Amino acid sequence: MKLSQKLVEEAIIEIAGREGVMVYKVLKDKENVNEFLIAEKLKLTINQIRNIIYKFEQYNLITSTRKKDRKKGWYIYFFTLNKKQIEDLVLQLKKKKINILKKQLEREGAHDFYSCPNKCMRLTIENAMEHQFMCAECGSLLEPEDKEKNITKIKKGIKELEEEFTKITA
Ligand SMILES: [Zn+2]
């Protein structure tokens, strides 16, 4: 599997934002990293770090151990990145996007859409008829969309994602 750094970072931004990428970079080539050390390095609070780690945990990206601080009496967590799982995450997110586009494609194929020239709303022809083809937001006349153009655009998006997917798994 060939994962570029760009793909990894894109996936992490999607689940945990830019700060997630910062945490990822600190954890990347290390094991059992003290959470306080991460917070100090990134100038974030321990709560911010724990929130990001929580998001990572949702995707099994992290294994953690904890030790009791004898003096202070609380637990300190140590984190290790689960690198194999990052590959799965990238593929999972791509697959999810492909499925969303496929559903969208089905919907586009099954209906004729009308939209407001000011982009307030888009309705199926049935709903547009109920509104006498008028935009409920700005009162403009709704215009029929170019169905073929929409479908071509979605198909192109699916093709691109599928190519990326194949490239990663090749
Ligand atoms: Zn409008």
Side-chain angles (χ1 to χ4, degrees):
M1 196 179 286
K2 296 162 212 152
L3 270 192
S4 66
Q5 200 54 32
K6 185 172 160 273
L7 275 175
V8 170
E9 287 183 14
E10 273 173 11
I12 290 176
I13 286 174
E14 232 177 293
I15 63 159
R18 300 226 160 256
E19 286 169 349
V21 175
M22 287 157 61
V23 173
Y24 160 78
K25 283 181 173 166
V26 173
L27 292 175
K28 207 170 77 168
D29 301 308
K30 302 188 188 77
E31 277 179 22
N32 296 315
V33 185
N34 182 325
E35 58 181 341
F36 287 96
L37 194 113
I38 308 171
E40 198 187 293
K41 236 185 186 166
L42 299 179
K43 312 238 178 304
L44 296 173
T45 66
I46 207 73
N47 274 337
Q48 284 174 305
I49 299 299
R50 284 180 181 170
N51 278 334
I52 291 165
I53 293 292
Y54 175 75
K55 287 171 188 160
F56 283 3
E57 281 173 341
Q58 306 295 298
Y59 293 89
N60 298 318
L61 295 186
I62 287 286
T63 47
S64 60
T65 54
R66 57 175 200 177
K67 274 186 197 140
K68 199 164 188 173
D69 185 317
R70 286 216 191 113
K71 274 184 211 156
K72 291 165 186 153
W74 62 46
Y75 284 103
I76 300 173
Y77 286 83
F78 297 84
F79 302 116
T80 304
L81 210 56
N82 191 352
K83 279 190 182 168
K84 174 73 189 66
Q85 205 55 39
I86 291 178
E87 296 174 353
D88 285 355
L89 171 71
V90 171
L91 291 178
Q92 234 185 76
L93 292 176
K94 293 256 178 255
K95 218 182 246 174
K96 205 166 129 193
K97 275 183 208 150
I98 292 172
N99 285 337
I100 289 171
L101 283 183
K102 280 185 174 167
K103 283 209 181 97
Q104 210 181 324
L105 185 63
E106 250 174 58
R107 193 173 144 74
E108 292 295 325
H111 300 277
D112 290 314
F113 285 93
Y114 279 72
S115 60
C116 171
N118 297 323
K119 312 250 181 264
C120 308
M121 58 178 58
R122 106 184 263 254
L123 300 170
T124 61
I125 187 167
E126 294 81 6
N127 285 332
M129 278 164 77
E130 278 172 29
H131 288 89
Q132 279 87 41
F133 296 95
M134 297 261 269
C135 174
E137 292 288 327
C138 73
S140 299
L141 195 64
L142 300 176
E143 293 168 351
E145 288 188 357
D146 184 342
K147 188 171 182 160
E148 278 315 306
K149 199 174 135 202
N150 288 342
I151 286 179
T152 307
K153 201 173 143 202
I154 297 169
K155 278 187 176 161
K156 194 172 159 239
I158 293 174
K159 196 170 163 243
E160 277 170 10
L161 282 167
E162 281 176 341
E163 276 169 8
E164 284 173 36
F165 194 90
T166 318
K167 221 189 270 172
I168 296 168
T169 51

Short mmCIF file of all heavy atoms in Angstrom, two decimals, residues 69-108:
data_model
loop_
_atom_site.label_atom_id
_atom_site.label_comp_id
_atom_site.label_asym_id
_atom_site.label_seq_id
_atom_site.Cartn_x
_atom_site.Cartn_y
_atom_site.Cartn_z
N ASP A 69 0.43 8.82 38.57
CA ASP A 69 1.46 9.71 39.09
C ASP A 69 1.40 9.64 40.61
O ASP A 69 0.44 10.11 41.22
CB ASP A 69 1.22 11.13 38.59
CG ASP A 69 2.34 12.08 39.00
OD1 ASP A 69 2.80 12.03 40.16
OD2 ASP A 69 2.76 12.87 38.14
N ARG A 70 2.41 9.03 41.22
CA ARG A 70 2.33 8.76 42.66
C ARG A 70 2.22 10.03 43.49
O ARG A 70 1.47 10.08 44.45
CB ARG A 70 3.56 7.96 43.11
CG ARG A 70 3.47 6.53 42.64
CD ARG A 70 4.06 5.56 43.66
NE ARG A 70 4.18 4.26 43.02
CZ ARG A 70 5.33 3.66 42.75
NH1 ARG A 70 6.46 4.23 43.09
NH2 ARG A 70 5.35 2.49 42.16
N LYS A 71 2.96 11.05 43.06
CA LYS A 71 2.95 12.29 43.85
C LYS A 71 1.59 12.99 43.78
O LYS A 71 1.05 13.42 44.77
CB LYS A 71 4.02 13.24 43.34
CG LYS A 71 5.38 12.97 43.97
CD LYS A 71 6.38 14.01 43.51
CE LYS A 71 7.79 13.41 43.44
NZ LYS A 71 8.66 14.12 42.52
N LYS A 72 1.08 13.09 42.53
CA LYS A 72 -0.14 13.89 42.36
C LYS A 72 -1.41 13.06 42.48
O LYS A 72 -2.50 13.60 42.64
CB LYS A 72 -0.11 14.61 41.01
CG LYS A 72 0.95 15.72 41.01
CD LYS A 72 1.25 16.20 39.61
CE LYS A 72 2.40 17.20 39.62
NZ LYS A 72 3.12 17.21 38.35
N GLY A 73 -1.26 11.76 42.34
CA GLY A 73 -2.41 10.88 42.53
C GLY A 73 -3.31 10.73 41.33
O GLY A 73 -4.34 10.09 41.40
N TRP A 74 -2.98 11.36 40.19
CA TRP A 74 -3.82 11.20 39.01
C TRP A 74 -3.14 10.33 37.96
O TRP A 74 -1.96 10.03 38.07
CB TRP A 74 -4.25 12.56 38.45
CG TRP A 74 -3.13 13.45 37.98
CD1 TRP A 74 -2.08 13.08 37.19
CD2 TRP A 74 -2.94 14.83 38.26
NE1 TRP A 74 -1.26 14.16 36.95
CE2 TRP A 74 -1.77 15.25 37.59
CE3 TRP A 74 -3.67 15.78 39.01
CZ2 TRP A 74 -1.29 16.56 37.66
CZ3 TRP A 74 -3.19 17.08 39.05
CH2 TRP A 74 -2.01 17.46 38.39
N TYR A 75 -3.89 10.01 36.92
CA TYR A 75 -3.34 9.17 35.85
C TYR A 75 -2.76 10.01 34.72
O TYR A 75 -3.32 11.04 34.34
CB TYR A 75 -4.42 8.26 35.28
CG TYR A 75 -4.75 7.10 36.18
CD1 TYR A 75 -5.90 7.10 36.95
CD2 TYR A 75 -3.88 6.00 36.25
CE1 TYR A 75 -6.21 6.03 37.79
CE2 TYR A 75 -4.17 4.93 37.08
CZ TYR A 75 -5.34 4.95 37.85
OH TYR A 75 -5.61 3.89 38.66
N ILE A 76 -1.65 9.54 34.21
CA ILE A 76 -1.08 10.15 33.01
C ILE A 76 -1.17 9.12 31.89
O ILE A 76 -0.88 7.94 32.09
CB ILE A 76 0.41 10.51 33.23
CG1 ILE A 76 0.52 11.51 34.38
CG2 ILE A 76 1.01 11.09 31.94
CD1 ILE A 76 1.95 11.79 34.78
N TYR A 77 -1.63 9.58 30.73
CA TYR A 77 -1.79 8.67 29.59
C TYR A 77 -0.61 8.75 28.63
O TYR A 77 -0.02 9.81 28.45
CB TYR A 77 -3.08 8.99 28.84
CG TYR A 77 -4.31 8.53 29.60
CD1 TYR A 77 -4.85 9.33 30.60
CD2 TYR A 77 -4.89 7.30 29.33
CE1 TYR A 77 -5.95 8.91 31.32
CE2 TYR A 77 -6.00 6.87 30.04
CZ TYR A 77 -6.52 7.68 31.04
OH TYR A 77 -7.61 7.26 31.74
N PHE A 78 -0.31 7.60 28.05
CA PHE A 78 0.77 7.50 27.06
C PHE A 78 0.18 6.92 25.78
O PHE A 78 -0.53 5.91 25.82
CB PHE A 78 1.88 6.59 27.58
CG PHE A 78 2.53 7.12 28.83
CD1 PHE A 78 1.97 6.88 30.07
CD2 PHE A 78 3.71 7.87 28.74
CE1 PHE A 78 2.56 7.37 31.23
CE2 PHE A 78 4.30 8.37 29.90
CZ PHE A 78 3.72 8.12 31.15
N PHE A 79 0.47 7.57 24.67
CA PHE A 79 -0.17 7.19 23.42
C PHE A 79 0.81 6.67 22.37
O PHE A 79 1.92 7.18 22.22
CB PHE A 79 -0.92 8.38 22.82
CG PHE A 79 -1.96 8.93 23.75
CD1 PHE A 79 -1.85 10.23 24.24
CD2 PHE A 79 -3.04 8.15 24.15
CE1 PHE A 79 -2.80 10.75 25.10
CE2 PHE A 79 -4.01 8.67 25.01
CZ PHE A 79 -3.88 9.97 25.49
N THR A 80 0.34 5.68 21.63
CA THR A 80 1.10 5.18 20.49
C THR A 80 0.16 5.14 19.28
O THR A 80 -0.99 4.71 19.40
CB THR A 80 1.62 3.75 20.77
OG1 THR A 80 2.39 3.78 21.97
CG2 THR A 80 2.47 3.23 19.61
N LEU A 81 0.69 5.60 18.17
CA LEU A 81 -0.10 5.62 16.94
C LEU A 81 -0.17 4.21 16.35
O LEU A 81 0.84 3.51 16.28
CB LEU A 81 0.58 6.56 15.96
CG LEU A 81 -0.25 7.30 14.95
CD1 LEU A 81 -1.34 8.12 15.61
CD2 LEU A 81 0.66 8.21 14.14
N ASN A 82 -1.36 3.84 15.93
CA ASN A 82 -1.56 2.54 15.30
C ASN A 82 -1.49 2.72 13.78
O ASN A 82 -2.47 2.98 13.11
CB ASN A 82 -2.95 2.03 15.71
CG ASN A 82 -3.16 0.60 15.34
OD1 ASN A 82 -2.35 0.00 14.63
ND2 ASN A 82 -4.26 0.04 15.79
N LYS A 83 -0.25 2.60 13.26
CA LYS A 83 0.00 3.02 11.87
C LYS A 83 -0.78 2.22 10.82
O LYS A 83 -1.25 2.76 9.84
CB LYS A 83 1.50 2.94 11.55
CG LYS A 83 2.25 4.14 12.06
CD LYS A 83 3.66 4.15 11.52
CE LYS A 83 4.41 5.34 12.09
NZ LYS A 83 5.83 5.24 11.82
N LYS A 84 -0.90 0.94 11.08
CA LYS A 84 -1.63 0.10 10.13
C LYS A 84 -3.07 0.61 9.94
O LYS A 84 -3.64 0.57 8.86
CB LYS A 84 -1.63 -1.34 10.65
CG LYS A 84 -2.46 -2.33 9.87
CD LYS A 84 -1.78 -2.69 8.54
CE LYS A 84 -2.67 -3.51 7.62
NZ LYS A 84 -3.86 -2.81 7.14
N GLN A 85 -3.60 1.12 11.05
CA GLN A 85 -4.99 1.57 11.04
C GLN A 85 -5.18 2.85 10.23
O GLN A 85 -6.27 3.12 9.74
CB GLN A 85 -5.42 1.76 12.50
CG GLN A 85 -6.88 1.65 12.77
CD GLN A 85 -7.49 0.35 12.29
OE1 GLN A 85 -6.88 -0.70 12.40
NE2 GLN A 85 -8.67 0.45 11.71
N ILE A 86 -4.12 3.62 10.06
CA ILE A 86 -4.21 4.85 9.27
C ILE A 86 -4.50 4.52 7.82
O ILE A 86 -5.29 5.18 7.16
CB ILE A 86 -2.93 5.68 9.41
CG1 ILE A 86 -2.84 6.22 10.83
CG2 ILE A 86 -2.92 6.85 8.41
CD1 ILE A 86 -1.61 7.01 11.12
N GLU A 87 -3.89 3.47 7.33
CA GLU A 87 -4.16 3.03 5.95
C GLU A 87 -5.64 2.69 5.80
O GLU A 87 -6.29 3.09 4.83
CB GLU A 87 -3.32 1.80 5.61
CG GLU A 87 -1.83 2.08 5.63
CD GLU A 87 -0.98 0.84 5.42
OE1 GLU A 87 -1.55 -0.28 5.38
OE2 GLU A 87 0.24 0.99 5.29
N ASP A 88 -6.15 1.97 6.78
CA ASP A 88 -7.58 1.63 6.75
C ASP A 88 -8.45 2.88 6.77
O ASP A 88 -9.46 2.94 6.08
CB ASP A 88 -7.95 0.75 7.95
CG ASP A 88 -7.47 -0.68 7.76
OD1 ASP A 88 -6.94 -0.97 6.67
OD2 ASP A 88 -7.60 -1.48 8.69
N LEU A 89 -8.05 3.84 7.59
CA LEU A 89 -8.83 5.07 7.70
C LEU A 89 -8.91 5.78 6.34
O LEU A 89 -9.99 6.18 5.91
CB LEU A 89 -8.21 6.01 8.74
CG LEU A 89 -8.80 7.42 8.77
CD1 LEU A 89 -10.20 7.40 9.36
CD2 LEU A 89 -7.92 8.37 9.57
N VAL A 90 -7.76 5.91 5.68
CA VAL A 90 -7.74 6.60 4.38
C VAL A 90 -8.67 5.88 3.40
O VAL A 90 -9.49 6.52 2.73
CB VAL A 90 -6.30 6.64 3.82
CG1 VAL A 90 -6.30 7.15 2.37
CG2 VAL A 90 -5.42 7.53 4.68
N LEU A 91 -8.59 4.56 3.37
CA LEU A 91 -9.45 3.80 2.46
C LEU A 91 -10.92 3.91 2.84
O LEU A 91 -11.79 4.07 1.99
CB LEU A 91 -9.02 2.33 2.44
CG LEU A 91 -7.67 2.06 1.78
CD1 LEU A 91 -7.32 0.58 1.87
CD2 LEU A 91 -7.65 2.50 0.33
N GLN A 92 -11.17 3.83 4.14
CA GLN A 92 -12.53 3.93 4.65
C GLN A 92 -13.19 5.25 4.23
O GLN A 92 -14.34 5.27 3.79
CB GLN A 92 -12.46 3.93 6.18
CG GLN A 92 -13.29 2.91 6.89
CD GLN A 92 -13.18 3.14 8.39
OE1 GLN A 92 -13.77 4.07 8.94
NE2 GLN A 92 -12.39 2.33 9.07
N LEU A 93 -12.43 6.35 4.39
CA LEU A 93 -12.98 7.67 4.06
C LEU A 93 -13.24 7.80 2.56
O LEU A 93 -14.24 8.38 2.14
CB LEU A 93 -12.05 8.78 4.54
CG LEU A 93 -11.91 8.95 6.06
CD1 LEU A 93 -10.90 10.02 6.39
CD2 LEU A 93 -13.25 9.25 6.71
N LYS A 94 -12.33 7.25 1.75
CA LYS A 94 -12.53 7.29 0.29
C LYS A 94 -13.78 6.49 -0.09
O LYS A 94 -14.59 6.91 -0.90
CB LYS A 94 -11.32 6.70 -0.45
CG LYS A 94 -10.07 7.52 -0.30
CD LYS A 94 -9.76 8.31 -1.56
CE LYS A 94 -8.52 9.15 -1.36
NZ LYS A 94 -8.79 10.57 -1.19
N LYS A 95 -13.89 5.31 0.52
CA LYS A 95 -15.03 4.44 0.22
C LYS A 95 -16.33 5.13 0.59
O LYS A 95 -17.32 5.06 -0.14
CB LYS A 95 -14.87 3.13 1.01
CG LYS A 95 -15.30 1.90 0.22
CD LYS A 95 -15.18 0.66 1.06
CE LYS A 95 -14.12 -0.28 0.52
NZ LYS A 95 -13.87 -1.43 1.40
N LYS A 96 -16.31 5.78 1.75
CA LYS A 96 -17.50 6.50 2.21
C LYS A 96 -17.90 7.57 1.21
O LYS A 96 -19.08 7.72 0.88
CB LYS A 96 -17.18 7.12 3.58
CG LYS A 96 -18.40 7.36 4.45
CD LYS A 96 -17.96 7.65 5.87
CE LYS A 96 -18.62 8.91 6.38
NZ LYS A 96 -17.98 9.39 7.62
N LYS A 97 -16.92 8.32 0.71
CA LYS A 97 -17.21 9.38 -0.26
C LYS A 97 -17.75 8.80 -1.56
O LYS A 97 -18.66 9.37 -2.17
CB LYS A 97 -15.94 10.18 -0.55
CG LYS A 97 -15.73 11.27 0.45
CD LYS A 97 -14.50 12.09 0.10
CE LYS A 97 -13.93 12.68 1.37
NZ LYS A 97 -12.49 12.86 1.32
N ILE A 98 -17.17 7.67 -1.98
CA ILE A 98 -17.66 7.03 -3.21
C ILE A 98 -19.12 6.63 -3.03
O ILE A 98 -19.96 6.87 -3.90
CB ILE A 98 -16.80 5.79 -3.56
CG1 ILE A 98 -15.39 6.23 -3.99
CG2 ILE A 98 -17.44 4.97 -4.69
CD1 ILE A 98 -14.39 5.10 -4.17
N ASN A 99 -19.44 6.04 -1.88
CA ASN A 99 -20.83 5.63 -1.63
C ASN A 99 -21.80 6.81 -1.59
O ASN A 99 -22.91 6.71 -2.10
CB ASN A 99 -20.92 4.84 -0.32
CG ASN A 99 -20.36 3.45 -0.48
OD1 ASN A 99 -20.31 2.92 -1.60
ND2 ASN A 99 -19.91 2.85 0.60
N ILE A 100 -21.36 7.90 -1.00
CA ILE A 100 -22.21 9.09 -0.96
C ILE A 100 -22.49 9.58 -2.38
O ILE A 100 -23.63 9.88 -2.74
CB ILE A 100 -21.55 10.22 -0.11
CG1 ILE A 100 -21.58 9.83 1.36
CG2 ILE A 100 -22.26 11.56 -0.34
CD1 ILE A 100 -20.77 10.74 2.28
N LEU A 101 -21.43 9.61 -3.20
CA LEU A 101 -21.61 10.07 -4.59
C LEU A 101 -22.51 9.11 -5.37
O LEU A 101 -23.30 9.55 -6.20
CB LEU A 101 -20.26 10.20 -5.29
CG LEU A 101 -19.44 11.44 -4.94
CD1 LEU A 101 -18.15 11.48 -5.76
CD2 LEU A 101 -20.23 12.72 -5.18
N LYS A 102 -22.39 7.82 -5.10
CA LYS A 102 -23.23 6.85 -5.81
C LYS A 102 -24.70 7.03 -5.46
O LYS A 102 -25.57 6.93 -6.32
CB LYS A 102 -22.77 5.42 -5.50
CG LYS A 102 -21.56 5.01 -6.32
CD LYS A 102 -21.17 3.57 -6.12
CE LYS A 102 -20.05 3.20 -7.08
NZ LYS A 102 -19.42 1.92 -6.72
N LYS A 103 -24.96 7.30 -4.19
CA LYS A 103 -26.34 7.56 -3.77
C LYS A 103 -26.86 8.84 -4.43
O LYS A 103 -28.01 8.91 -4.87
CB LYS A 103 -26.42 7.70 -2.25
CG LYS A 103 -26.35 6.37 -1.54
CD LYS A 103 -27.10 6.40 -0.20
CE LYS A 103 -26.96 5.06 0.49
NZ LYS A 103 -25.87 5.05 1.49
N GLN A 104 -25.98 9.83 -4.47
CA GLN A 104 -26.32 11.10 -5.09
C GLN A 104 -26.63 10.90 -6.57
O GLN A 104 -27.59 11.47 -7.09
CB GLN A 104 -25.13 12.05 -4.93
CG GLN A 104 -25.50 13.52 -4.84
CD GLN A 104 -24.24 14.36 -4.71
OE1 GLN A 104 -23.28 13.96 -4.05
NE2 GLN A 104 -24.23 15.50 -5.35
N LEU A 105 -25.84 10.07 -7.20
CA LEU A 105 -26.03 9.77 -8.62
C LEU A 105 -27.41 9.14 -8.86
O LEU A 105 -28.11 9.51 -9.80
CB LEU A 105 -24.92 8.83 -9.10
CG LEU A 105 -24.87 8.50 -10.59
CD1 LEU A 105 -24.61 9.75 -11.41
CD2 LEU A 105 -23.80 7.45 -10.88
N GLU A 106 -27.76 8.21 -7.97
CA GLU A 106 -29.07 7.57 -8.07
C GLU A 106 -30.19 8.60 -7.96
O GLU A 106 -31.14 8.59 -8.73
CB GLU A 106 -29.25 6.59 -6.89
CG GLU A 106 -29.22 5.13 -7.28
CD GLU A 106 -29.26 4.27 -6.03
OE1 GLU A 106 -30.24 4.42 -5.25
OE2 GLU A 106 -28.32 3.49 -5.84
N ARG A 107 -30.02 9.50 -6.99
CA ARG A 107 -31.03 10.52 -6.73
C ARG A 107 -31.14 11.48 -7.92
O ARG A 107 -32.24 11.84 -8.33
CB ARG A 107 -30.66 11.27 -5.45
CG ARG A 107 -31.75 12.14 -4.90
CD ARG A 107 -31.35 12.71 -3.54
NE ARG A 107 -31.86 14.07 -3.38
CZ ARG A 107 -33.12 14.40 -3.17
NH1 ARG A 107 -34.02 13.47 -3.04
NH2 ARG A 107 -33.49 15.66 -3.05
N GLU A 108 -30.00 11.86 -8.45
CA GLU A 108 -30.01 12.77 -9.60
C GLU A 108 -30.69 12.12 -10.80
O GLU A 108 -31.42 12.77 -11.54
CB GLU A 108 -28.57 13.15 -10.00
CG GLU A 108 -27.83 14.00 -9.00
CD GLU A 108 -28.42 15.38 -8.81
OE1 GLU A 108 -28.93 15.97 -9.79
OE2 GLU A 108 -28.42 15.86 -7.66
#
